[in-house]
Amino acid sequence: SSLVFASPKADQLYRAIRTARTRYNNHSSTPAVPERIIRPSDVPGTLLNIALLNCGAEHAVLRISAYRMLTAIVATFNIDVGHELAYAIDLCLPPNPLQFIYRVGAKLAMSAPDMTLELLSEALVAFSKSAPNMRLWILQYIQPWLMCLGQYTHDSVTHPDALQRTQDIIRNLIHLHLKEPTMYMHFKQYVWSVVARVEDLTEIILDMFLTVAMEYGALTVETELIADMLATVAGKNPRYNKLVTRLRKLIAQTCTMSVTFIHTHQLWPEIAAYLRLLLPLTFSNRLLAEEYLPDVAFITCMLLKAGPGIIHSTLHGIVMHVVHSLALSQCSGLIIDSTFSPSITGDELFA
């Protein structure tokens, strides 16, 4: 016979168990790379990634072979790269030909954008298997292809799974960023600062940030890092400020199921994750403060005194950030008030 446990908080218990299991799996072992079916149309992108990857190898013979492979790919598939490549018997390729590869990559991405999805997928698989010195090289040569990713936000006849593959690429980038703390600033510079300029990726990136944050839980270090990634892209593209509108609409959805306290609602874990992502986004953000002030006021009123203490602090921080941004937008210089006490200016608070 089997035992059946019943609880009025069954949904919350289920989500807590699922979150704990996800965190355990993420921290206990490195997930195996799933086998992927390579279609004939994916072959050029796969070969191109192999050539670009090995152009940054330590061994000179391997670099030269990769250069010749790159030349052969361009000739075979009739890709226009201008006068950047030429087959030569005697060739010396320097150990780190970054400027050359970036120029070639930019022209390849412009001439053959159909290779984008497969090249990026293969590059991210190679990233998890490569030595530390090669991982930075991978982030550098995929930049032009990240700019092409906005062309694959919807399924089409030629790419029936374009949306799913684009979501997988963004999700994998987030996970790799979280698992490589030593490359934290490199990811911000070579990945998030680049994709932030691609307008068509805004909704997908916001969705993936929230999805991964929900996997780890709202009150985790990983979610704090994801919030920093969001602040990075928002600094380049103010369209990411629409996270405020998303949170307002999510709170409005709680009216469909009556509960005594909002933190017992089934949508609460998602609301908490939104709040943690929103906190760094609101700091010194005048556009957000001016455009979304009514939404922030609604969120504050609805969530006041809801949830644990850290959520109270988060909501207080968001309000203070918005007030700070509005105050700075009304002045032309540094605000100095001699009536501030030491505790307010921070002499005692941070002692």
Side-chain angles (χ1 to χ4, degrees):
S1 62
S2 59
L3 295 176
V4 178
F5 296 94
S7 171
K9 297 183 178 181
D11 291 339
Q12 295 181 38
L13 291 172
Y14 170 73
R15 287 195 297 270
I17 294 172
R18 185 178 61 181
T19 300
R21 182 177 179 181
T22 300
R23 292 189 63 193
Y24 173 79
N25 291 335
N26 288 334
H27 288 281
S28 61
S29 61
T30 302
V33 178
E35 294 185 2
R36 295 178 294 112
I37 299 175
I38 299 180
R39 297 165 296 191
S41 59
D42 295 333
V43 172
T46 303
L47 295 176
L48 183 58
N49 178 70
I50 295 173
L52 292 174
L53 175 63
N54 289 288
C55 279
E58 293 182 355
H59 302 287
V61 175
L62 182 55
R63 291 198 303 271
I64 294 173
S65 298
Y67 177 91
R68 290 172 178 168
M69 181 179 180
L70 183 61
T71 305
I73 293 171
V74 169
T76 301
F77 297 103
N78 194 25
I79 304 173
D80 182 18
V81 293
H83 302 285
E84 297 290 347
L85 296 172
Y87 185 83
I89 297 177
D90 295 323
L91 183 68
C92 179
L93 196 64
N96 188 23
L98 179 58
Q99 295 300 323
F100 162 73
I101 288 298
Y102 188 84
R103 289 199 313 270
V104 172
K107 292 183 178 180
L108 285 169
M110 185 180 300
S111 302
D114 288 345
M115 298 184 183
T116 299
L117 293 176
E118 188 58 28
L119 183 138
L120 288 175
S121 298
E122 287 293 327
L124 297 184
V125 172
F127 183 95
S128 61
K129 297 180 178 180
S130 299
N133 63 317
M134 292 299 295
R135 292 176 180 176
L136 178 58
W137 173 257
I138 292 172
L139 293 183
Q140 291 171 332
Y141 78 69
I142 65 173
Q143 289 182 81
W145 303 95
L146 290 173
M147 296 294 293
C148 295
L149 204 54
Q151 302 177 31
Y152 302 99
T153 56
H154 298 87
D155 296 338
S156 62
V157 177
T158 55
H159 295 88
D161 57 348
L163 176 58
Q164 182 61 51
R165 296 184 71 181
T166 300
Q167 291 174 335
D168 290 342
I169 289 170
I170 298 298
R171 185 187 297 108
N172 289 336
L173 284 169
I174 297 172
H175 281 298
L176 290 173
H177 190 166
L178 294 175
K179 293 180 183 298
E180 294 294 336
T182 58
M183 301 191 67
Y184 192 79
M185 296 306 298
H186 295 308
F187 268 94
K188 294 181 69 173
Q189 178 181 356
Y190 298 121
V191 175
W192 304 120
S193 295
V194 174
V195 298
R197 300 196 296 268
V198 185
E199 298 285 343
D200 293 333
L201 289 178
T202 304
E203 296 294 337
I204 293 178
I205 292 176
L206 283 175
D207 287 340
M208 293 303 102
F209 279 159
L210 180 64
T211 299
V212 179
M214 290 289 292
E215 290 177 5
Y216 287 99
L219 308 181
T220 60
V221 175
E222 288 81 6
T223 297
E224 300 304 309
L225 297 177
I226 294 172
D228 187 55
M229 300 177 205
L230 176 59
T232 299
V233 295
K236 301 290 183 180
N237 187 346
R239 287 190 62 189
Y240 286 89
N241 292 337
K242 65 172 63 177
L243 184 75
V244 181
T245 302
R246 282 187 166 206
L247 177 55
R248 175 182 58 79
K249 293 179 179 179
L250 182 64
I251 295 173
Q253 292 177 22
T254 59
C255 66
T256 58
M257 188 181 76
S258 179
V259 293
T260 305
F261 302 102
I262 192 171
H263 62 266
T264 62
H265 197 279
Q266 62 181 4
L267 293 178
W268 177 253
E270 192 172 350
I271 292 173
Y274 265 113
L275 284 172
R276 297 303 294 172
L277 294 179
L278 186 59
L279 179 60
L281 184 62
T282 54
F283 179 71
S284 192
N285 192 334
R286 301 184 186 183
L287 291 177
L288 184 149
E290 294 173 355
E291 184 174 354
Y292 296 97
L293 181 60
D295 292 335
V296 173
F298 174 83
I299 293 168
T300 303
C301 293
M302 294 301 296
L303 300 182
L304 192 64
K305 293 296 182 180
I310 190 171
I311 296 298
H312 301 169
S313 301
T314 301
L315 193 61
H316 178 267
I318 291 172
V319 173
M320 293 306 298
H321 287 172
V322 171
V323 172
H324 174 261
S325 299
L326 290 174
L328 290 179
S329 66
Q330 301 300 321
C331 68
S332 57
L334 180 65
I335 301 177
I336 300 178
D337 190 343
S338 58
T339 63
F340 279 1
S341 66
S343 60
I344 294 178
T345 57
D347 295 345
E348 295 179 358
L349 184 62
F350 298 104

